Amino acid sequence: MSQQRLKQYLKQMTLNEKIAQLLQLAAPFYDEVGDAGQITGPMESLGVTAETVHNAGSVLGVSGAEKVISVQQSHMKHNKYGIPLLFMADIVHGFKTIFPIPLAMGCSWDIALAERSAEIAAKEAAVSGIHVTFAPMADLVRDPRWGRVMESTGEDPYLNSLFARAMVRGFQGSDLKNDKERVASCVKHFAAYGLAEGGRDYNTVDLSERQLREYYLPAYQAALDEGAELVMTAFNTVDGIPASGNRRLMRDLLRSEWGFNGVLISDWAAIKEMIAHGVAEDGREAALKAILAGVDIDMMTSSYVHHLPQLIADGIIDEALIDEAVLRVLQLKERLGLFENPLRGADPEAERQIVYCDIHREAAKELALKSCVLLKNDGVLPLHRNQKIALIGPFAQSGDILGNWSWNGSRELSAKLGQSMQTLSVSSVTIVEGCGIDQITEGQIQEAVTVAEEADVVVLALGESSDMSGEASCRSDIRLPEAQLRLVQIMKKLGKPMAVVLFNGRPLDLHGVYEESNAVLEAWFPGSEGGAAVADLLYGIANPSGRLSMSFPYAVGQIPVYYNHFNTGRPKPSEDTDEKYVSHYLDIPNAPLLPFGYGLSYTSFCYKHLSLSSDEIGETDTLQVKVEVVNEGKLSGTETVQLYIRDVSGEVVRPMKELKAFRKAELAPGESIEVVFDITEKQLRYHHSDFSFTSDAGQFELFVGPNSRDTMNAFFRLNK
Ligand code: BGC
């Protein structure tokens, strides 16, 4: 359909009909839609009429091919222009085949597999009738108290950008209009939602322009460079102004500076929330601020529907603002091919065949295998198949391993750890709960002790329930719940070799677990095939290769603790210094327990012969960095070779290390490989005091290693 035709709609439609296109309703509004168009859903709560519902532009959370087809057909009957509804949903890490949570995906450092996961999620969602997914979440995170770190790929802007791009490619493909197995991608939450003060959800975000541009913006921008069709606003304030009414952020930066011309949607009720924030007296003022900021769709409030008509009648805003927003919504429908085919991919037969099919579940398992991070191992892992294992803990046989935002996933169908281990064992795996997530009884203790005493190795399956992370699920104490720590203590006393598997949605404070165990495997929420993947890793059928994409703090008091921090004028010379007037804590180390990039393998890798092609480069030169990596162990394994750079003397203080490149190398025992990185001036640029994005002439330190802490270094100069 031509742009001309889309503009004609604008001419034909009444003001109210146009504004209704900017309304997004949630699923309950459509539970009651019948042929007669009688909608008896919760309209009263929103105070909208049936006419508005018939003209609404989009709906959130309705899925299932048959349901979507019936709602769309009924909608088309009642919409006098035949403008189809857009069906949107949060397909964050899978539709029904659930992949590891995004934080786990981040730990895979496997960009291609992340793209594949998004492609599969899109396919399942599309045949089930969805047109738009509210993903990826490109929010950079540094505070594990914040429950939504599980939805992010981590603390590094470069890694996050690669993942954001991959997810957009996977969701949208290269021909969104004709490829009905793809969905449009909405990058969220713009902007800097990950910096909520105190790690408390929805809380104030206040950061410098420099922080915003250097760390928080790159991943959203990467998603948009890759063509993401939509952007979602964030709940938080940015520089004192809620994102949904923030003109500088939305009009100036997003639209003018970045040239984004797609749909900007508010987060759930975020327009109305400007009243509670204290920047709008009432719904009218909230609507005014949002439309002026350039927000096109009002998710789940009636602020636009109720107040925009009067704001125009009173001459406060120009109708052109509405037309511009409606046109963007219509253009999105057009780009999805909905005018030609309002049902798009919705296909009950394909849905039955594709959703949760074996091929998709295999991909979910592959990603789970690559996302788990081995945090500690003194040799107790891998387990031998002829050992007697006591598998104890609330996650031993739990289906609660999908993680948040898996509303279509099935806990019942998910591969359970216990069963999967029993399948692999040639001896015995005895499974008991040992304790609940946060309670323990004497009976459970007795049972656990009895089973453990009989075993060669104790495996504890511990963690947080899914609802302890995700939206509105923040914690101030991020240790395992007391009951589980008690179980660890009791088991420890038995003196048996003990491995711990953790299922959780955030980096934890591992006091009470890490020191006490012989091995710790971080499984995160590994998704539908997670239990099977973890069992393979425990038995050494696969070798762990995940690397942390977010630091594990030593203690909550360090937060935020992240690898790419600045030095101070008084850096601590070493962790065991007794110098007083240096930047340190009296009671805990400065360093996190486990740094960004960290992860072990059942084999060991050695780095040798770091060399640079030159000790200086000019602006058009390429510096070749070579390093030899050797698998010195007895098993095949995958190493993630990481390259970091520090600008030793910048115009502005630069981070101690910044990830610039990495390579994954699969090596057989004894095998060695020469890894080569090409570095150019472009990778040395940053925002200067005048916000120009340039590099400094002078000295740079380059680091190569298996994580951000244990690196080899070399120096070079940039000549300009
Ligand atoms: C969340 C968004 C989500 C939206 C729709 C909000 O509460 O913050 O991430 O996309 O709900 O479900």
Side-chain angles (χ1 to χ4, degrees), residues 445-468:
I445 295 172
Q446 284 304 318
E447 195 183 26
V449 168
T450 310
V451 168
E453 273 173 343
E454 292 289 305
D456 300 321
V457 180
V458 174
V459 176
L460 296 182
L462 309 175
E464 299 177 318
S465 58
S466 282
D467 56 12
M468 287 167 75

Side-chain angles (χ1 to χ4, degrees), residues 60 90 134 148 188-189 232 235 267-268 299 405 471:
L60 151 63
D90 292 275
F134 295 135
R148 302 197 78 167
K188 66 188 186 186
H189 308 83
M232 185 186 292
F235 286 127
D267 201 349
W268 181 287
M299 187 196 292
W405 297 112
E471 186 174 346

Side-chain angles (χ1 to χ4, degrees), residues 97-140:
T97 303
I98 302 298
F99 288 84
I101 55 170
L103 187 58
M105 252 184 238
C107 293
S108 74
W109 297 53
D110 194 325
I111 310 301
L113 210 47
E115 178 175 341
R116 171 108 179 96
S117 79
E119 186 186 338
I120 289 172
K123 196 167 179 174
E124 292 194 359
V127 296
S128 307
I130 303 293
H131 307 145
V132 173
T133 175
F134 295 135
M137 175 175 118
D139 305 329
L140 182 134

Side-chain angles (χ1 to χ4, degrees), residues 594-666:
L594 301 166
F596 175 83
Y598 177 88
L600 303 172
S601 162
Y602 293 149
T603 190
S604 56
F605 300 100
C606 160
Y607 286 64
K608 289 184 191 164
H609 310 310
L610 174 63
S611 71
L612 310 188
S613 54
S614 169
D615 55 9
E616 52 182 6
I617 55 167
E619 280 180 279
T620 53
D621 297 339
T622 298
L623 178 75
Q624 244 188 19
V625 181
K626 290 185 181 165
V627 68
E628 193 186 329
V629 181
V630 189
N631 180 351
E632 293 194 321
K634 294 196 175 66
L635 293 168
S636 291
T638 301
E639 174 63 322
T640 303
V641 184
Q642 302 162 34
L643 183 145
Y644 299 85
I645 288 183
R646 178 187 181 203
D647 186 337
V648 175
S649 168
E651 190 235 0
V652 170
V653 177
R654 301 303 301 147
M656 293 297 284
K657 276 175 191 161
E658 286 182 290
L659 182 70
K660 294 291 177 184
F662 63 91
R663 287 272 194 296
K664 292 185 80 135
E666 202 180 324

